[in-house]
Amino acid sequence: MKVLIADFDIYSDIGGGQSFYQALIRNHPSVDFYFFETRHHNRAMLPANARPIVYRPFYFSRQNFPETMLQLKVKFFYLSLNMARQVAGQTFDVVDYPDYSFSGLYLRYAFEHFNVQVSKFALSLHGNLSK
């Protein structure tokens, strides 16, 4: 089974969501978990089923919106496009995205655009936005 965690640096950032994902990976050694990294992880320290994908942004907004919800939505739209581009043409059984990132709003459409096949999308409720 292939699971893409649509989050970043889960082994170098500290927080409840990162701890949750680390435990999920550790407790399911037969499942291959993929996640994005913006900082290099010591691969020897990762579980064998944790597979980082080096994140390289390609799309950027040229708009300079004021600090509003619109700017935030545009930011996450481009983030979703960049994540989808990184895994273009791949197939995942599950794509899990955390509720603390609005990029999940656009992932399905971005993945369709880049021919990423996904059986199920799952929203992980970690607390902040799901309360």
Side-chain angles (χ1 to χ4, degrees):
M1 176 180 268
K2 285 177 64 175
V3 175
L4 174 64
I5 298 171
D7 201 3
F8 296 86
D9 301 313
I10 61 174
Y11 284 94
S12 56
D13 287 350
I14 298 171
Q18 292 80 11
S19 297
F20 168 80
Y21 285 129
Q22 289 172 23
L24 185 67
I25 294 168
R26 183 176 54 251
N27 293 329
H28 295 88
S30 64
V31 177
D32 290 325
F33 289 92
Y34 297 80
F35 63 93
F36 297 98
E37 70 175 0
T38 60
R39 296 182 295 277
H40 180 71
H41 295 87
N42 181 351
R43 303 276 162 89
M45 300 299 288
L46 297 179
N49 62 331
R51 311 207 187 288
I53 300 167
V54 177
Y55 178 77
R56 292 185 182 96
F58 182 79
Y59 299 105
F60 299 92
S61 172
R62 291 195 171 100
Q63 302 297 322
N64 189 14
F65 295 109
E67 189 70 30
T68 63
M69 184 57 87
L70 178 61
Q71 182 185 32
L72 192 60
K73 288 180 179 182
V74 169
K75 171 188 166 188
F76 284 112
F77 170 74
Y78 281 99
L79 182 66
S80 297
L81 283 176
N82 285 316
M83 285 193 283
R85 186 175 183 273
Q86 291 292 135
V87 295
Q90 294 189 44
T91 300
F92 295 96
D93 297 297
V94 176
V95 171
D96 182 294
Y97 56 93
D99 69 347
Y100 52 79
S101 171
F102 290 110
S103 61
L105 295 171
Y106 309 105
L107 277 179
R108 181 181 307 270
Y109 310 107
F111 281 18
E112 286 174 6
H113 179 74
F114 285 99
N115 197 32
V116 180
Q117 304 299 311
V118 178
S119 295
K120 302 258 184 221
F121 284 89
L123 172 64
S124 285
L125 303 176
H126 293 279
N128 288 341
L129 298 177
S130 58
K131 287 184 179 176

